């Protein structure tokens, strides 16, 4: 039986990554952390740019960083931490990138800095991703 992910450790890592966010425009800091199949945790934060389209979300930073370091990485769970009153879900672009590397059952934990948490499966956030099978 697959081991349950350590949610506390994952949320703590996402919250710590949030501290590194570069958000001079929105002031909306986001941290994300991935639990990988080998038990390691990889994190990322959002990096804004004056050319808003060049901004990269925390979820994508974490995923792209992890994938660039380990081509065989397998995501077991993801945590996202924001300061919003209600924990914020990933944007559509992040969800589409997640579709490339997550299974429909991958746990997604949304948290805020006040300790509120929402738990989803990936397929609850993006029930109909664009995938290779559609091509």
């Amino acid at each position: 039986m697959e081991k349950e992910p350590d949610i506390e450790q994952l949320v703590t890592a996402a919250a710590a990554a949030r501290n590194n966010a570069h958000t001079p425009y929105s002031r909306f800091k986001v941290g994300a952390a991935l639990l990988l199949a080998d038990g390691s945790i990889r994190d990322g934060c959002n990096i804004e740019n004056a050319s808003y389209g060049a901004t990269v979300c925390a979820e994508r930073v974490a995923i792209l960083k992890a994938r660039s370091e380990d081509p065989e990485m397998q995501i077991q769970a993801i945590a996202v931490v924001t300061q919003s009153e209600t924990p914020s879900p990933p944007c559509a672009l992040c969800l589409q990138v997640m579709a490339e590397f997550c299974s429909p059952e991958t746990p997604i934990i949304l948290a805020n800095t006040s300790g509120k948490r929402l738990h989803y499966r990936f397929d609850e956030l993006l029930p109909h991703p664009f995938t290779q099978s559609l091509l």
Side-chain angles (χ1 to χ4, degrees):
M1 187 163 142
E2 192 171 300
K3 183 182 170 224
E4 277 293 309
D6 184 346
I7 300 306
E8 290 304 318
Q9 188 178 9
L10 197 58
V11 171
T12 297
R18 184 182 165 278
N19 292 326
N20 294 330
H22 176 72
T23 60
Y25 309 104
S26 72
R27 307 271 190 255
F28 189 75
K29 294 181 178 221
V30 181
L34 317 174
L35 174 66
L36 302 182
D38 67 4
S40 67
I41 292 178
R42 305 292 174 84
D43 62 17
C45 59
N46 55 325
I47 309 292
E48 293 181 348
N49 190 282
S51 173
Y52 292 139
T55 293
V56 185
C57 300
E59 300 90 331
R60 285 183 283 141
V61 168
I63 291 168
L64 299 177
K65 184 168 98 173
R67 174 55 180 79
S68 71
E69 295 170 353
D70 178 5
E72 303 302 318
M73 68 98 180
Q74 296 177 340
I75 297 172
Q76 299 299 305
I78 300 176
V80 179
V81 176
T82 64
Q83 74 247 25
S84 57
E85 186 175 328
T86 300
S88 299
C91 73
L93 185 55
C94 286
L95 288 169
Q96 184 56 51
V97 170
M98 292 162 95
E100 191 77 15
F101 300 103
C102 292
S103 74
E105 299 82 24
T106 300
I108 310 294
I109 300 92
L110 307 179
N112 68 12
T113 53
S114 299
K116 184 173 183 182
R117 295 190 186 159
L118 301 173
H119 294 252
Y120 295 95
R121 289 171 20 135
F122 174 72
D123 62 357
E124 292 176 298
L125 296 175
L126 187 63
H128 305 287
F130 183 84
T131 62
Q132 180 69 27
S133 65
L134 297 173
L135 299 177

